[in-house]
Every structure is written in structure tokens, then in C-alpha cells.
Amino acid sequence: MPAVAELPAPPKTATPVALPPTNWRRRLLLPGLAGLLVGAVLLSAGAGAVPIPVPAVLGILLHKLGLTTGLSFELQQEAVLWAIRLPRVCLGVLIGAALGLAGAAMQGLFRNPLADPGLIGVSTGASLAAVATIVLEVTVLAAVREWLGFYVLAVAAFLGACGTTLLVYRLSRESGRAVVGTMLLAGIAVNSLAGALTGLLTYAATDEQLRSITFWGLGSLGGASWPTVLGVLPLLALPILLLPRLGKSLNLLALGEEQAAHLGLPVTRLKRQLIVLATLAVGTSVAVAGTIGFLGLVVPHLVRLAAGPDHRVVLPGAALGGALVLTLADMLARTVVAPAELPIGILTALLGAPVFLWILLREKRQRRV
Amino acid sequence: MFNVQNLRYQVGRKVLLQGVSLQAQPGELLAVVGANGAGKSTLLRLLSGDLVPTGGQVQFEGRNLSNIPAPELARRRAVLTQQHTLSLAFEVRELVLMGRYPHFRGQPSAHDHAVVAEALALVGLTDLAARSYPTLSGGEQQRAQLARVLAQVWEAKGGFLFLDEPLTGLDLNHQHHTLDVARALVQRGFGVVAVLHDLNLAAQYADQVLLLRQGETVAYGEPAAVLTATTIEHAFDIAVELLVHPSLGCPLIVPCPRPLPTTRGWA
């Protein structure tokens, strides 16, 4: 046999080799974002027509937990915070976290930084179903409306989201596996079909219906109340708790599906989990707050920019970042044109689009160097 | 040991592989050679479990490949594919650490980091450990991926490594270096199956050679027995002369000169 170059023997035990130095930005990111989120929640809960300073917010919260503190507040402040502000802030945190996570998960699944849950038809499907509910006040629906009340729109949107995702998923299956490239193309086609149908319904709508459609399409956390928060909690808790556990798996998926399978990853199961959880997150969000754009696209990008591409950090980072951004955006939406209120979807797009362009330009400049 | 019996794979009516049998043993380097489209990669993908055979079977240590749980298999055999894209800009050491994912839950241990460092040293990329993968040259990317698959089966007893054309895009030095690494693994008790294009490298480094032609075995055995002028001409449709390597004593294959093809229209 040929002469073999002398190569180092394998390490018999764990030789203490210097561990790779962890990036300090990566270490600080999650605690930092969590701290900022707490601050944003306190600020946002205090901002509005009845201003409540942060110490008073803390005092009320602790009082509700049965703790007496020296922090003073008025009864009116307590009522406003508890009945109006707090459910809204909670809804913002939940939806922001869910949208950020869903974006990061879809970008990982499609192995494409431009992917967005909207790509597989979740948002347009939800919109179509909601608009159909508004415009086609069918008699059957009227009966359902009686029973579900305000929630009929939310339920329709959620079912629409699940329906389109299922359709796209079915279209992209080849011998039992979802082919990601086909899925993207099927998503584009289904999206434009749903968009066209929504347009058709809008065309047929009355003026009053048009107003509800427009407002709904722009997104708002205005419908928040404790029943809403508790209603969406189980649906959003699933993706918020389960998606961050898929960090290692999503890292492997970056190698390619076949390569990930060689490392023991059950790729088909993972893809199904990602799609179901992301649809749950986005479908539920659209159902209660309308379409809130750009959050799922931009937040994971910003996290990656700060801490690198490791999904074990990106996923929890996108959840915290999404919650932070939506809390702040909602505070702005409520205060800039007070006593009126801006639709939050306009704000996230207004802020998100320039940030996204800035990222693109920055990356372009870095490539040139 | 990987035991392959009468393997067959077809898509529709097109038969890509048939009647192939082989034994890949620990402590042996098996080179799979043949012309383009002879079924080399198909064979490797059947061995890796990417494809399910339409006939015959692949067994790993007496068990059918499809009955072995994926995580268990991942700790025992690693695959280096031809294509290796990475959709996100991971650092080289993060990429190599992915090879350790089947071995830890949650956080990697000190041992996992040690294996990453050793694997990087073995392929000569220690200095580039903190570099972002997309900034590496093609050859460096390939070596980084090799380090990843090495890390995956580093301490496996009787582990297997499948390499699909691992030398494509590497310079002369690194072609030999990659095969040196493969031989070092073989001496450690690993089984290596490599698809190779260079018959001389196969003759020099392999313990066993499988020569394929149109999805069927032409010859299988020791390099000197498999790589003869007759078998090579049959498999590659080109006449060769066989010399003896001056220092290693293995076959040295030299293609016979032949006239340029006459092409109509090239007045």
C-alpha cells in the first residue's frame, strides 16, 4: 500500500482545546432584547390619553399581584391600564413574537433570506377569507355570526390561512415530500389568485364594506381585550414555545435537505412542523390584528446582522425582537395622531421598508470591499 | 460492514443500476470508478439512503438500511456530497460543529469542540476557523465540508465515510492530501467509499476498486486486477497502456494517443 503521510492520531479523550471565543454581541443579544422589551412594555402601557408614569404602572401591576408598594397611582389609571392598555400590550407582544418567529422559520425552511410567511399564501388566504366574510353577507354566515359574534371574521381569516397553506403544500408534493422550490412557485400562483379574488370582492363591495376591508387590511391591535388575548394565547403559545427548539435543525437545513438527512435530521417531519407552526402563528395574528407587514421579514435580518446566522440565537432573538418592534410600533400608532390612531400595518411598513433597503445597500457595499 | 446484494435502481423504465454487489469493509478504501453516467453517484446515494433501491438490498452490519433509525446511522456514517451550498454565512467552525449535532443535545461539550479543532487541523484549515464560509475559495469550502463529515464520525468504531467525487476542484497537492486523510481514516479502522475519476489515484490509494459501465459491474476487486487495459477500454471507450508506477509498483494508466475526431462542417 502507498506510503501515508503522518497524520495526527485521534484524540483519545477530550483534549482541552481552546473553545471558540463566543461573540460578545451574540451573548448579550438575548438578555439585551429581553431588557428592552420589558422597558418598552412599561412605557407603552403608560402612554396614551390618560398618561401613567412607569412607577405607577409598576405599582398597579404589583398591586394586582397582591403586593403593596409605596408606588402611588390613581384609581382611574388602574382601570385604564387593566381594561384597555394591558390587554393591548399583551396582544402586541404575543403577535410580534409570533410574526418574528414565523419569519425566521420560513427563511430557514426556504433557505432564502427573502422568504416570508406571506410567500406560502398564509396572509393572502386569510385576507381573502376575511374580505369574503365582510362582502358576502351570506345568510348562512349570518347564523354563524349570531353565534360567534365579533369572532366570525377572525375564525374565517384563520381558516383561510390554513386552507391556502394546505393547498400550496399539496401542490408542491412529489412522491410524499414537499419540494421547496415548487412550493415557492405554487405560493406565488396561489397568492396572486387569492389577491385577484380579493380584488374582485372589493370591486363588488359597498362603501361601508370598503371601509372595513381597508381598515382590516392595514392591521390594528385596536380590537384587543382580555377575551381576545386569552383566545389567541393557546394558538400563539404553541409556535412561540415550539419554534425556538428547532434551532439546530434549521442550522442543518442550511446545508441542504439531503445533507441534513445524512446528519440524521428527519427532514420531512421538520418541514411539516415548520409549516404548521408558522401558519398557526401568522393565521392567528392576521385573524385578530389584520395583516402586519414587514415584521417577519426584517426582524430576523436585524438579529442575524447583530449575532450571526446561528438559529439557536436567531429564533429566540426574532421572537424578542418582533415583540419589541410591535410594542413600540403600537405605542407610536396610538400616540402620533392622538386622539385618532394610525393602522399599525402602515407603521411597520413605513419603518420596515427603509430598514430593509438599508440592509440591502450595506450588504452590497460589503461585497464590493 | 456495508453489504450490497444484487442492487437495482430504476426510474420509470430507465435502469440506472442493476446487479451490483459489493462489500465495503472497515479498514478498506473502496474506489468506485466509471465513465460519466455509469451509475457511480446513484450507487453512493443508494448506500447513503437518499434513494430507496427498486431491487436487491443494502445492509449495514446485518440490518437493512431502511430499518436503522436516522440519528443512529448519522453517528456511524457520514456523507460528503458533490454539491455543497450553504444558504447562510456561517463561520467555518460553526459549519464543522454541525457535524457534531448528532452527538449532543443542547450545548456542545468540550469534547465536541476538541473534535472540531482536530478535524480542522487535519484538513489544514485551523487558521480559517473564524472565517465566514462564503468568503473561502472553492477548494477551501470543500475542505471545510470534509472537516464537517470527519467530525461527524470522528470517534465512531467501524464508522463509514462516503465521498462523492471529493477531489473535484482541488489542486494536485490537496487531491493527494484528501486521499491521505482518507487513508489515515482507513488505518484507524474506518471504511471509506469514494467515487473517483482519476484512475491513477484509484490505483494508488484504493484497497478495492469497483468499475461500473452503464449501471453494471465490469470488474470488482484489487486495483491491479480491476484496472487492466481491457476493462478500462470496455468501460471508458478509450484505449490505454498500462505501465508500472516506478516507486509504488501500482498500475499507471496512460491513454493511447488517437487521431482527432473528424467533424463534418469544419472545413
Side-chain angles (χ1 to χ4, degrees):
Chain A
M1 263 306 105
V4 171
E6 280 164 34
L7 290 153
K12 286 183 191 70
T13 50
T15 15
V17 177
L19 300 182
T22 356
N23 187 334
W24 62 267
R25 288 208 284 189
R26 189 178 148 154
R27 284 210 168 170
L28 289 181
L29 185 83
L30 297 183
L33 280 175
L36 285 174
L37 179 59
V38 170
V41 163
L42 292 178
L43 264 178
S44 174
V50 178
I52 312 171
V54 171
V57 173
L58 275 175
I60 296 166
L61 289 179
L62 291 173
H63 173 71
K64 284 281 176 191
L65 288 172
L67 298 167
T68 26
T69 52
L71 302 163
S72 63
F73 54 86
E74 293 157 25
L75 278 179
Q76 189 209 16
Q77 289 180 329
E78 183 185 345
V80 166
L81 185 78
W82 192 252
I84 300 171
R85 302 272 173 79
L86 216 51
R88 186 165 179 154
V89 172
C90 287
L91 193 67
V93 167
L94 283 173
I95 289 180
L99 289 178
L101 270 172
M106 285 297 108
Q107 288 168 15
L109 169 65
F110 287 104
R111 307 178 72 223
N112 187 328
L114 292 178
D116 179 70
L119 220 56
I120 51 170
V122 194
S123 326
T124 37
S127 297
L128 175 61
V131 171
T133 321
I134 295 172
V135 178
L136 310 169
E137 289 177 272
V138 198
T139 34
V140 189
L141 275 177
V144 181
R145 184 178 293 239
E146 205 120 303
W147 176 50
L148 283 169
F150 165 76
Y151 292 105
V152 72
L153 205 62
V155 172
F158 183 72
L159 293 179
C162 296
T164 33
T165 311
L166 197 70
L167 178 65
V168 170
Y169 186 71
R170 278 294 174 84
L171 284 172
S172 65
R173 272 205 325 190
E174 272 170 38
S175 53
R177 310 181 190 183
V179 180
V180 164
T182 318
M183 198 164 185
L184 234 114
L185 293 175
I188 291 172
V190 169
N191 263 333
S192 45
L193 186 65
L197 289 175
T198 310
L200 208 61
L201 287 169
T202 318
Y203 185 72
T206 63
D207 280 358
E208 192 197 340
Q209 288 169 342
L210 268 182
R211 218 183 131 68
S212 346
I213 291 172
T214 315
F215 192 73
W216 194 83
L218 295 173
S220 167
L221 294 174
S225 64
W226 283 123
T228 330
V229 174
L230 294 178
V232 299
L233 187 64
L235 295 176
L236 293 181
L238 270 175
I240 291 174
L241 294 177
L242 294 181
L243 278 175
R245 291 158 179 257
L246 299 176
K248 269 172 79 184
S249 307
L250 277 169
N251 281 351
L252 290 186
L253 213 52
L255 293 168
E257 289 184 23
E258 229 168 56
Q259 287 78 355
H262 294 152
L263 281 152
L265 187 76
V267 176
T268 307
R269 205 177 73 199
L270 175 72
K271 283 195 281 192
R272 260 187 230 142
Q273 284 173 336
L274 288 171
I275 291 165
V276 168
L277 291 174
T279 305
L280 209 54
V282 179
T284 311
S285 307
V286 177
V288 291
T291 42
I292 298 174
F294 263 101
L295 202 74
L297 185 63
V298 175
V299 169
H301 265 283
L302 290 173
V303 175
R304 258 185 245 116
L305 214 59
D310 189 342
H311 284 97
R312 286 176 296 168
V313 179
V314 170
L315 288 169
L320 289 171
L324 175 66
V325 170
L326 202 61
T327 304
L328 292 176
D330 184 50
M331 186 170 76
L332 272 181
R334 284 188 286 121
T335 49
V336 279
V337 291
E341 192 176 298
L342 269 180
I344 197 165
I346 295 183
L347 260 175
T348 51
L350 262 181
L351 298 173
V355 170
F356 194 69
L357 285 175
W358 170 73
I359 295 172
L360 281 183
L361 289 176
R362 192 174 171 277
E363 282 179 1
K364 203 171 86 178
R365 224 176 308 137
Q366 275 176 348
R367 272 200 297 274
R368 215 182 300 146
V369 180
Chain B
M1 179 176 91
F2 269 86
N3 193 348
V4 171
Q5 284 303 322
N6 203 15
L7 201 60
R8 180 187 177 87
Y9 185 73
Q10 68 183 78
V11 179
R13 277 201 198 148
K14 194 167 162 54
V15 179
L16 298 179
L17 208 68
Q18 66 174 336
V20 173
S21 300
L22 62 87
Q23 268 114 42
Q25 310 265 14
E28 254 183 26
L29 199 166
L30 168 65
V32 181
V33 297
N36 296 133
K40 305 183 295 293
S41 291
T42 305
L43 174 61
L44 213 66
R45 296 183 69 198
L46 286 162
L47 282 176
S48 320
D50 299 346
L51 302 175
V52 179
T54 45
Q57 54 186 341
V58 180
Q59 288 189 324
F60 180 41
E61 286 169 358
R63 293 154 77 194
N64 243 326
L65 200 60
S66 50
N67 293 338
I68 304 176
E72 184 189 332
L73 195 60
R75 289 190 287 268
R76 302 289 307 281
R77 76 91 185 83
V79 185
L80 183 67
T81 49
Q82 275 187 53
Q83 305 290 333
H84 20 247
T85 52
L86 188 61
S87 58
L88 291 164
F90 283 99
E91 287 176 10
V92 171
R93 60 185 170 208
E94 289 179 307
L95 171 75
V96 179
L97 186 63
M98 286 184 205
R100 299 302 300 171
Y101 278 14
H103 300 270
F104 66 85
R105 284 172 156 270
Q107 294 302 313
S109 67
H111 173 65
D112 292 316
H113 284 299
V115 170
V116 169
E118 299 271 354
L120 278 170
L122 196 52
V123 301
L125 285 182
T126 304
D127 293 342
L128 303 182
R131 277 270 292 277
S132 165
Y133 181 81
T135 66
L136 301 184
S137 74
E140 288 164 347
Q141 290 188 347
Q142 194 144 337
R143 280 151 61 204
Q145 296 279 1
L146 179 63
R148 170 176 67 77
V149 296
L150 289 178
Q152 186 184 339
V153 289
W154 193 260
E155 70 279 77
K157 287 222 160 38
F160 272 84
L161 204 59
F162 297 152
L163 310 172
D164 195 358
E165 299 192 18
L167 310 180
T168 315
L170 293 182
D171 61 33
L172 189 62
N173 177 17
H174 285 109
Q175 287 187 13
H176 281 271
H177 182 261
T178 299
L179 288 174
D180 285 339
V181 170
R183 283 243 50 105
L185 287 171
V186 164
Q187 284 193 334
R188 257 185 227 172
F190 277 81
V192 177
V193 180
V195 171
L196 297 178
H197 265 301
D198 189 324
L199 298 179
N200 284 316
L201 289 175
Q204 187 181 333
Y205 283 93
D207 299 297
Q208 299 275 311
V209 175
L210 172 70
L211 177 59
L212 291 176
R213 178 180 180 271
Q214 291 173 8
E216 292 181 51
T217 305
V218 174
Y220 171 49
E222 301 209 343
V226 171
L227 300 170
T228 66
T230 332
T231 56
I232 293 172
E233 183 166 356
H234 180 56
F236 291 91
D237 216 9
I238 179 173
V240 295
E241 245 179 279
L242 234 57
L243 311 175
V244 175
H245 194 290
S247 55
L248 297 173
C250 63
L252 187 63
I253 298 131
V254 183
C256 295
R258 58 178 176 183
L260 282 172
T262 47
T263 314
R264 265 177 291 160
W266 278 12

